[in-house]
């Protein structure tokens, strides 16, 4: 294998990684809400931090959990916004009543 070939493969891998990062979409939390972030998909999980008013969150995956009523209806969908951190989808403006991201595994 030549050095040129290795560089081509590395560049392609880097492009794919950048493309994946660039495709992450951020969603607005309901106006005027300080949103609890929990360490699992439900209200029985501990609060690990609180998002400030005006926050926007990435949604890496979604999973069913405790049903919650919020500004955007009642939903049992929980959004994974970071490793081990979840918020209720009822407080996130996704433009949908259903899943907008892959299910968490």
């Amino acid at each position: 294998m030549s050095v040129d070939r290795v560089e081509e493969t590395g560049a392609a891998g880097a492009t794919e990684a950048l493309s994946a990062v660039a495709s992450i979409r951020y969603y607005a939390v309901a106006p005027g809400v300080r949103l609890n972030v929990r360490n699992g998909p439900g209200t029985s999980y501990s609060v690990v931090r609180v998002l400030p008013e005006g926050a926007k969150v990435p949604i890496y995956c979604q999973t069913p959990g405790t049903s919650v009523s919020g500004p955007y209806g009642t939903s049992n969908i929980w959004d994974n916004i970071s490793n081990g951190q979840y918020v209720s989808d009822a407080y996130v403006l996704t433009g949908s009543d259903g899943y907008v991201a892959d299910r968490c595994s």
Side-chain angles (χ1 to χ4, degrees), residues 1-76:
M1 177 186 276
S2 73
V3 173
D4 290 340
R5 179 71 178 147
V6 172
E7 288 176 3
E8 287 175 16
T9 303
T15 301
E16 290 171 8
L18 287 175
S19 182
V21 170
S23 69
I24 296 171
R25 182 169 171 205
Y26 284 76
Y27 298 87
V29 172
V33 171
R34 294 182 67 236
L35 186 59
N36 289 335
V37 178
R38 297 181 179 272
N39 65 358
T43 55
S44 63
Y45 289 89
S46 298
V47 174
V48 295
R49 65 185 172 121
V50 178
L51 297 175
E53 290 182 27
K56 291 188 176 188
V57 295
I59 298 177
Y60 295 107
C61 63
Q62 295 176 297
T63 191
T66 306
S67 186
V68 172
S69 292
Y72 302 119
T74 300
S75 178
N76 73 334

Side-chain angles (χ1 to χ4, degrees), residues 11 16 40 42 79-80 83 101 104:
E16 290 171 8
D79 305 330
N80 176 261
N83 189 23
C104 302

